[in-house]
Amino acid sequence: MSERVFNFCAGPAALPLPVLEEAQRDLLALPGVGMSVMEISHRSKWFDEILGEAEANLRELLGLGDDHAVAFVQGGGQMQFSMVPINFLAADASADYVVTGSWSRKAAPEADKEGAARVVWTGEEHNYDRVPTDAELELDPEASYLYFTSNETIQGVQFEEPPAADVALVCDASSDFLSRPLDLSRYGVYYACAQKNAGPAGLSVVILRRDFLERRKTGLHSMLDYGKHVEAGSRLNTPPTFAIYLFLLITRWLKGPMGGLAAVEEFNREKAALLYDVIDASPDFFLGHALRDCRSTMNVTFRLPSDELDQRFLAEAEQNGLFQLKGHRSVGGIRASIYNAMPRDGVVALRDFMVDFRDRS
Ligand code: PMP
């Protein structure tokens, strides 16, 4: 198969075609450099420019000022499950964790290894089909931070607004990073692994409020110390240079052709509505996993009335050029991940296939 198909993978996910095309064009020789981005020193002036523009674009997209620092690190999303408490949770302190799905459920026990992770709410009883309201959260005003996952990739539940809390927020935004505008003033740490909305695997982007960063513990191992990464300008060791370069191309694409994050949000909402409208029109055939007011614009999760129909749906979808729609094993059924890079045409093709499949079944 040499033609590109529509790829609904949850991650590593489809990248914007113009970004891949540019990376392909420049793979052997960066314009003006004559060497591949993979072949230049991470301390060269060429890479200075790449890193500098990537950070500047990120700051512009999110409206970040000087009170926030940015670190590009390795170790994936799950490394952050540990780095957050290693930096910010003392042995005699506790942090509040909101458990809305598989990823926040996995993060909380890592914090327990440093101090105490208090699970203030869990959606486990209902198989994580929603996020809590503020009224349901009894938060500790002394907590070191309140941790939540803005979009649970596996269950497809998303916070519309962050929880109301007096303490600093820590957010795993791995699967809805740069999908909408956001005011980060209440966030101590806002992080995302790149392989959904921001590039290939191997890079995580961490945004830290500087006053919160000052509260970190002392005597940390250098590679686990956010402060050291920030001081070293994300070059404490060799950073994932190729992934940072692709991140740069993605930020250019978001700022330019995509028109900035407000336009990206509208684009994503419209795409998601195309699928949710079909689910809502046939609730006995497409059994949506997430409750209506918590549904994700990034990961649309549903099942069909039987496992057999799920299997047939997946097989026939592939025959129609619609790939990687299988739900995660813990939820089953179907998951359509429609991140920023998924074109509207891909979602329309899936919507039309869903309608046709329903009418034939
Ligand atoms: N958090 C979220 C919300 C995720 O979706 C994922 C990965 N799918 C992770 C964390 C873990 O990322 P990684 O595999 O890079 O550790």
Side-chain angles (χ1 to χ4, degrees):
M1 192 185 292
S2 56
E3 288 294 301
R4 279 175 69 78
V5 297
F6 290 123
N7 173 7
F8 294 88
C9 187
L15 292 165
L17 186 57
V19 164
L20 290 176
E21 285 169 342
E22 167 136 24
Q24 183 184 43
R25 271 196 307 274
D26 297 349
L27 191 69
L28 299 185
L30 269 181
V33 179
M35 293 169 269
S36 172
V37 67
M38 291 183 282
E39 302 169 316
I40 57 174
S41 165
H42 56 293
R43 302 194 190 280
S44 63
K45 66 174 192 312
W46 306 300
F47 194 70
D48 283 346
E49 280 174 22
I50 288 171
L51 196 62
E53 189 192 334
E55 180 171 334
N57 288 351
L58 174 67
R59 286 181 175 282
E60 188 182 327
L61 284 163
L62 285 171
L64 295 178
D66 256 3
D67 43 356
H68 282 91
V70 175
F72 296 103
V73 301
Q74 306 199 40
Q78 292 197 55
M79 177 66 105
Q80 298 309 305
F81 296 0
S82 298
M83 275 182 80
V84 163
I86 283 172
N87 280 260
F88 298 113
L89 187 55
D92 59 356
S94 82
D96 286 350
Y97 274 70
V98 184
V99 175
T100 49
S102 305
W103 294 111
S104 43
R105 185 181 56 192
K106 224 169 168 174
E110 299 304 322
D112 243 356
K113 292 169 187 164
E114 291 295 312
R118 213 171 64 95
V119 174
V120 290
W121 189 88
T122 173
E124 189 172 5
E125 260 180 43
H126 303 279
N127 200 13
Y128 305 110
D129 62 356
R130 68 178 181 94
V131 301
T133 61
D134 286 335
E136 290 176 287
L137 299 177
E138 280 184 31
L139 302 178
D140 175 5
E142 303 295 318
S144 299
Y145 55 82
L146 171 69
Y147 182 102
F148 73 107
T149 301
S150 50
N151 183 72
E152 285 283 358
T153 323
I154 291 175
Q155 285 78 15
V157 294
Q158 185 175 29
F159 281 87
E160 177 79 32
E161 293 291 334
D166 293 330
V167 304
L169 299 173
V170 171
C171 179
D172 173 359
S174 292
S175 50
D176 63 0
F177 187 47
L178 299 178
S179 70
R180 54 184 174 179
L182 201 63
D183 171 9
L184 283 179
S185 54
R186 292 173 50 215
Y187 292 76
V189 183
Y190 185 78
Y191 73 83
C193 56
Q195 66 267 22
K196 292 137 201 323
N197 251 347
L203 167 68
S204 291
V205 181
V206 187
I207 299 170
L208 299 130
R209 214 177 61 206
R210 288 188 199 276
D211 66 327
F212 189 71
L213 180 60
E214 291 310 313
R215 290 185 222 164
R216 74 190 183 281
K217 295 187 262 179
T218 54
L220 300 175
H221 288 254
S222 300
M223 284 299 292
L224 300 176
D225 183 337
Y226 285 124
K228 290 270 194 313
H229 284 278
V230 169
E231 278 161 29
S234 296
R235 282 174 288 190
L236 193 52
N237 71 336
T238 313
T241 50
F242 185 68
I244 291 172
Y245 168 68
L246 279 199
F247 176 69
L248 163 63
L249 298 186
I250 286 174
T251 59
R252 280 185 192 158
W253 174 76
L254 289 171
K255 275 179 45 178
M258 293 300 284
L261 296 192
V264 168
E265 176 174 28
E266 215 177 295
F267 172 66
N268 286 328
R269 281 192 193 282
E270 204 245 319
K271 283 189 302 183
L274 288 171
L275 301 183
Y276 287 126
D277 283 350
V278 177
I279 292 173
D280 290 341
S282 311
D284 297 330
F285 191 76
F286 295 115
L287 314 166
H289 180 75
L291 299 193
R292 193 183 278 250
D293 57 354
C294 313
R295 299 193 290 205
S296 169
T297 55
M298 300 278 100
N299 312 98
V300 177
T301 49
F302 60 92
R303 319 178 68 106
L304 301 182
S306 71
D307 285 349
E308 192 248 314
L309 277 172
D310 281 345
Q311 296 319 317
R312 231 181 71 209
F313 181 96
L314 292 168
E316 289 188 23
E318 288 198 3
Q319 288 157 16
N320 284 273
L322 308 167
F323 278 73
Q324 306 209 75
L325 280 160
K326 192 170 175 352
H328 188 271
R329 57 191 180 280
S330 61
V331 174
I334 316 295
R335 171 175 52 174
S337 296
I338 49 171
Y339 301 116
N340 292 346
M342 171 59 66
R344 188 176 186 280
D345 285 355
V347 180
V348 168
L350 174 58
R351 190 264 322 263
D352 292 348
F353 171 72
M354 286 168 71
V355 169
D356 178 56
F357 188 85
R358 178 198 63 197
D359 293 348
R360 284 187 288 109
S361 297

